[in-house]
Amino acid sequence: MSADALIVNRVLYPVTALGPGRRLGVWLQGCPLACAGCMSRDTWDPAMGEVVPVAELAALWDTVQADGASGLTVTGGEPLTQADALAAFVRHVAGNRIGPGGEADILLFTGYELDELDRRRQAALEGVDVLVTGRFRAAEPTRLVLRGSANQVMHLRTPLGEMRYRELAAAETDTPAMQAFVEGDRLLLSGVPQRGTLAVLERTLRAGGVQLDGVSWRP
Ligand code: SF4
C-alpha cells in the first residue's frame, strides 16, 4: 500500500455530526472487519473508492482550516488498513492545526480494539486527540453519542481531546445528530445513528415521496 495516497470513499465539509464544530470528514475505503449491521457496507471493498494523493488531502485540510474548521474526523471503512498513508495525512494535520477556528482536533474511528493495534497502526494515530475503538455490535445498542454500540470506547488521548470531548464522552441522547449531503443522485449521511434511526429516516423520506435505492446498510 502506497504511503503517498489514500483510497477514499468520500470527503465532506463541513461535517457537523461527527465531532464538535465544523469539520473535514474523510471516509477511507476498505474494511475487512465486516460487522453485521454496518451502515457503511459501501466502504468495505478496497478495490472501490478513489485514490487521492496525501498531498491533495493535505492541501484540502489547509483550505478548510483557513475557513475556520474546528477539526478533522477520519472514519470509514477501516482507516487503519491504510496506516502508512494515514500517518502521513494525520501528521500534516497535527502539524497545521492552529487556524482562525482555533486549535483543530483530530477524531478517528476504528473498528479495532487497542490490543489489535500493531506498531504501524499505532504510528498512524500519533497526533490523534480522540479515538473511538471497537467493532459495531448490533446486539449492543447504546445511547452514548458518537458510539454505535455499547462496547465501543472513546479514548481521550491528549489534553485537547480531554478538554473538548470530556462531556461528549459521557453524553447520552435519544436523537443522535445526523447530517445529509446530496451529491448528484446520492444521499450521503454523516453521523452515528442509533438502532432504528435509519429505518425512521427511510420511512420519513418515503412518506415525503422519496424512495431510497441501494442503501449502504443492506447487503
Ligand atoms: S462498522 Fe466500521 S469496522 Fe465494522 S464493518 Fe462497518 S466500517 Fe468496518
Side-chain angles (χ1 to χ4, degrees), residues 177-198:
M178 296 296 294
Q179 186 183 13
F181 294 79
V182 176
E183 276 185 9
D185 62 352
R186 296 176 76 205
L187 180 70
L188 303 172
L189 293 178
S190 161
V192 182
Q194 290 180 353
R195 182 146 77 186
T197 303
L198 297 174

Side-chain angles (χ1 to χ4, degrees), residues 30-41 43-44 75-78 110-112 134-136 152:
C31 181
L33 302 179
C35 306
C38 169
M39 71 173 284
S40 307
R41 299 175 64 96
T43 65
W44 287 9
T75 183
E78 175 44 64
T110 174
Y112 290 115
R135 313 288 195 274
F136 170 69
Q152 294 178 334

Side-chain angles (χ1 to χ4, degrees), residues 150-188:
N151 61 296
Q152 294 178 334
V153 179
M154 181 182 288
H155 307 268
L156 310 183
R157 296 161 43 94
T158 65
L160 176 62
E162 178 71 36
M163 182 187 70
R164 201 168 283 176
Y165 286 76
R166 191 186 313 118
E167 284 185 18
L168 271 179
E172 298 188 353
T173 183
D174 290 320
T175 53
M178 296 296 294
Q179 186 183 13
F181 294 79
V182 176
E183 276 185 9
D185 62 352
R186 296 176 76 205
L187 180 70
L188 303 172

Side-chain angles (χ1 to χ4, degrees), residues 95-119:
N96 297 274
R97 56 164 85 222
I98 309 291
E103 189 173 6
D105 70 83
I106 304 175
L107 165 65
L108 188 140
F109 291 83
T110 174
Y112 290 115
E113 306 287 351
L114 285 185
D115 63 7
E116 294 178 290
L117 302 182
D118 59 18
R119 198 177 303 171

Side-chain angles (χ1 to χ4, degrees), residues 46-78:
M48 305 293 284
E50 183 185 353
V51 177
V52 181
V54 169
E56 194 175 308
L57 286 168
L60 177 60
W61 169 255
D62 294 346
T63 301
V64 302
Q65 195 204 26
D67 182 54
S70 48
L72 167 72
T73 298
V74 182
T75 183
E78 175 44 64

